[in-house]
Amino acid sequence: MTVKKIRTALISVFYKDNLEPIIDLLKEQGVKIYSTGGTQAFIEQQGATVIPVEELTGYPSIFGGRVKTLHPKIFGGILYRRNHQEDVVQAADYEIPAIDLVIVDLYPFEETVASGAAEGEVIEKIDIGGISLIRAAAKNFQDVVIVASKEQYGELKERLENNSGGTTLKDRRYFAAQAFKVSSHYDTHIFNYFNRQEAIPSLKISEIKSTGLRYGENPHQQAAFFGDLGEMFEQLNGKELSYNNLVDVDAAVSLIAEFEGQTAFAILKHTNACGVALGNSVAEAYEKAFAADTISAFGGVLITNQPVDLSAAEAMKGLFFEVLIAPSFSNEALQLLSTKKNRILLKQKIHPSTTKQVKTLLNGFVSQDQDLQTEGKDQFVVATKQKPTTEEMDAMEFALKVCKHTKSNTIVLSNKDQLFSSGVGQTSRVDALKQAIEKAHAFGFDLKGAVMASDAFFPFPDCVEIAGNAGITAVVQPGGSIKDQDSIAYCDAHGMSMVMTGVRHFKH
């Protein structure tokens, strides 16, 4: 493929990290360099000769630096087509020099927004000249190389070295694609900043960082994670996270966040909790969570909201599990748990701050607010003559937290600090209840005095009747059925208490 020699370059960057090797290479190749302001001073410090952009355009930097490179002699030099005779003639007539390489980045808009800066400062970080230069150079990739990010300096240097200071059309097209990735990402974040207030109905998502995954939900499906996993977790041991691991980790992180200020432990399988418990220590909470389903815990994802010490590590070391998430691990616990080389240990650094959920659906996308509402005892409305005891109120609050994070239709049975069982993902609420009761009995739990939580209302009194016959004494549900009174009447007739929250928690 034909190599096109670089003879002129325009360099104007905010970030100057690792730019030195590029300058040295251009200097060796005798490339004429145009630049501006701070970048010009930086390049001159490297011993290279620089022609100020003002000398080319005949205009100084004006309006507080808002206008520096927006000039026909700059954009003409980038955009004119070298194989188009009329363009070549016009460039000569107007003394417009060809610019073969453009290295430019953008003001840190995203970072400025994230810092909480005032709007005036944010607006000044909307790049005009830079974004225009990127688009112009990328459009004319037939003749021009565009490097729009410091992340690409190494690639540029390697390709220039391999081609004696030149590039191929394939190189230039690649860098153009990278440039449009940068510019589209930048514009997305600007729009989303303005749309916080304007609420224009439009879905704009852009994530540049990505992590390739071994495969998707199944081995024949390709997959990748887009986002910064390193911001959330430090992986201390184990193999690469898989697609299914990440889905379960997401569910686990959301569930454990419900128990802030308590020592909690949860075990999940296919995003549903098979064990959740509170304890005086992580070890105690783990043992209670594991007891809820000693079979499903095999190969599960484990999470706690407290540091894992040696006692906790010893309690769980015999279980085969895929992932353990905790805010920290003692050195002794880490050493013990790391004896299994594939066991994934994640130190959770932050909790996700996202408030929206997006998924593909049919030929488009659906977006909704995340379900961040959890009803506590203060929101419970007693619907029956029998009022719940203090312990039953605590138990229903616990059960409802678990229920909210379980696939519908779901029923959760528990006491105030331990999940006994749940019926998950059933097409009938009665089936979910029967599944939960059978499972609780299978693992040795006596349901006398237990509570029941439902993610949605009871359309008939059959569920409270089945629950009462199993020994359950208190029920929490959203209410809202036209036949609520039938369920309430059954409870009243059999000494059961029922509270309503007024909020449904379907999860599909």
Side-chain angles (χ1 to χ4, degrees), residues 256-287:
I256 209 71
E258 300 284 357
F259 300 100
E260 187 177 357
Q262 300 170 293
T263 298
F265 202 100
I267 305 172
L268 289 89
K269 201 73 171 288
H270 300 296
T271 73
N272 292 308
C274 54
V276 185
L278 307 177
N280 293 316
S281 66
V282 173
E284 180 189 348
Y286 164 75
E287 294 284 10

Side-chain angles (χ1 to χ4, degrees), residues 480-499:
S481 168
I482 59 174
K483 293 189 176 182
D484 275 347
Q485 193 55 46
D486 292 350
S487 295
I488 294 169
Y490 183 89
C491 290
D492 284 342
H494 294 84
M496 297 171 66
S497 61
M498 177 184 287
V499 301

Side-chain angles (χ1 to χ4, degrees), residues 255-265 276-282 285 303-307 327 374 377 394-395 397-399 401 415-418:
L255 172 59
I256 209 71
E258 300 284 357
F259 300 100
E260 187 177 357
Q262 300 170 293
T263 298
F265 202 100
V276 185
L278 307 177
N280 293 316
S281 66
V282 173
I303 188 166
T304 182
N305 56 2
Q306 300 297 328
T374 305
K377 294 177 290 185
D394 290 341
E397 186 175 67
F398 175 89
K401 289 177 179 179
N415 63 16
K416 67 179 181 178
D417 56 21
Q418 184 181 24

Side-chain angles (χ1 to χ4, degrees), residues 18-27 103 153-154 156-157:
N18 303 317
L19 186 60
E20 297 97 327
I22 302 295
I23 302 303
D24 290 341
L25 185 58
L26 297 179
K27 187 170 60 173
I103 302 177
Y153 290 170
L156 175 65
K157 180 174 180 292

Side-chain angles (χ1 to χ4, degrees), residues 232-233 249-250 253-254 257 348 350-355 370 372:
M232 270 208 66
F233 301 109
V249 166
D250 177 70
V253 167
S254 295
Q348 185 178 347
I350 62 169
H351 186 76
S353 58
T354 52
T355 59
Q370 285 198 348
L372 300 176

Side-chain angles (χ1 to χ4, degrees), residues 60-78:
S61 173
I62 56 177
F63 307 131
R66 282 189 166 199
V67 178
K68 289 182 287 190
T69 57
L70 294 169
H71 191 280
K73 284 204 171 182
I74 299 295
F75 282 86
I78 294 170

Side-chain angles (χ1 to χ4, degrees), residues 384 411 429-430 433 437 452-454 456-477 483-500:
T384 51
I411 293 290
R429 200 158 301 282
V430 170
L433 175 55
I437 291 171
M452 172 173 74
S454 175
F457 64 63
F458 300 115
F460 305 102
D462 46 8
C463 280
V464 289
E465 181 178 352
I466 294 168
N469 291 336
I472 290 160
T473 56
V475 179
V476 56
Q477 60 131 331
K483 293 189 176 182
D484 275 347
Q485 193 55 46
D486 292 350
S487 295
I488 294 169
Y490 183 89
C491 290
D492 284 342
H494 294 84
M496 297 171 66
S497 61
M498 177 184 287
V499 301
M500 296 186 181

